[in-house]
Amino acid sequence: MPDRPYVIDEMISAKAIAARIEALSHDIRSHFGDTEKLVVVGLLRGSFVFIADLVRELDLPLEVDFLEASSYGNAMESSREVRILKDLRGAIEGRDVLVVEDIVDTGHTLNHVTALLKSRAPKRLKSIALLDKPSRREVDFRADWIGFEIPDEFVVGYGIDFAQRNRNLPFIGKVRFTPEPAP
Ligand code: IMP
């Protein structure tokens, strides 16, 4: 699949992303303004650029932790199994927690991760996703804050990959396959 030739069309500019993060960080700061110390949890690997920019806009006492989950589809049963590949380093009981995700697509990953983290009895738990594809949803889940709603397109850049490529693009672009070159 990734060896099929493709081009990337810009969908959301680096400037638009920065402006949106600044606006979102105001909302997050007013929500968690009284926090003792916020635990900002990045979901690896796609959120690493987003979390880096987001925390630098959050003028709050905070720490950063990471969790890696993987979701495996079962087309026959239209079900998904979400597995935790790397858990948090720290405990979150009684803490304020913000989960940071790159994209909510079917919703299985964030739905599973937020349920798991809630079971650890945090004081407050909120989630933020840079991108949301509501038309793809398979479970009833909505992040508390969303950067941009996008149509059902495969996107890359700003931390998000296509077969581990294109994470280093400063903008969000959509993948467009081009015809194979003639042999
Ligand atoms: P969900 O469990 O279907 O909501 O999956 C969310 C995860 O799927 C994201 O964290 C991404 O890793 C991946 N994903 C969904 N849509 C895209 C896309 O357009 N480009 C790259 N990865 C995507």
Side-chain angles (χ1 to χ4, degrees):
M1 246 309 245
D3 291 331
R4 267 178 73 192
Y6 64 93
V7 294
I8 297 164
D9 300 321
E10 184 170 301
M11 185 190 251
I12 307 170
S13 70
K15 209 171 153 191
I17 297 170
R20 186 72 187 120
I21 290 177
E22 200 189 333
L24 287 165
S25 66
H26 284 120
D27 293 352
I28 296 169
R29 263 185 281 160
S30 22
H31 186 81
F32 285 116
D34 60 348
T35 192
E36 225 169 83
K37 196 169 5 143
L38 180 65
V39 185
V40 184
V41 173
L43 298 199
L44 293 171
R45 287 174 253 177
S47 75
F48 79 103
V49 177
F50 181 34
I51 194 173
D53 282 346
L54 183 67
V55 294
R56 282 179 289 177
E57 289 291 333
L58 288 179
D59 186 15
L60 290 173
L62 61 80
E63 59 189 73
V64 173
D65 204 341
F66 291 96
L67 185 145
E68 185 170 10
S70 187
S71 125
Y72 298 89
N74 182 336
M76 297 291 284
E77 295 169 24
S78 70
S79 68
R80 289 238 168 180
E81 187 193 340
V82 179
R83 272 192 236 157
I84 303 300
L85 303 180
K86 183 212 166 293
D87 206 339
L88 299 177
R89 289 287 290 273
I92 56 164
E93 189 179 346
R95 309 284 308 273
D96 285 326
V97 179
L98 176 67
V99 183
V100 181
E101 171 67 311
D102 56 353
I103 310 181
V104 186
D105 186 35
T106 63
H108 288 283
T109 306
L110 255 193
N111 193 43
H112 180 93
V113 167
T114 53
L116 173 74
L117 297 185
K118 263 183 206 155
S119 74
R120 297 177 185 177
K123 184 175 165 200
R124 289 179 285 195
L125 178 88
K126 293 283 177 188
S127 57
I128 180 168
L130 180 66
L131 304 175
D132 187 15
K133 293 187 199 171
S135 63
R136 295 256 313 154
R137 204 66 95 253
E138 290 175 10
V139 290
D140 185 18
F141 181 88
R142 203 177 147 79
D144 297 292
W145 291 286
I146 284 162
F148 302 90
E149 261 192 25
I150 59 167
D152 182 11
E153 301 277 3
F154 196 84
V155 294
V156 291
Y158 198 72
I160 300 164
D161 73 303
F162 178 29
Q164 301 308 324
R165 286 191 273 183
N166 311 122
R167 290 191 197 271
N168 53 331
L169 289 174
F171 57 86
I172 301 282
K174 67 177 180 188
V175 168
R176 179 163 52 87
F177 289 101
T178 52
E180 300 274 357

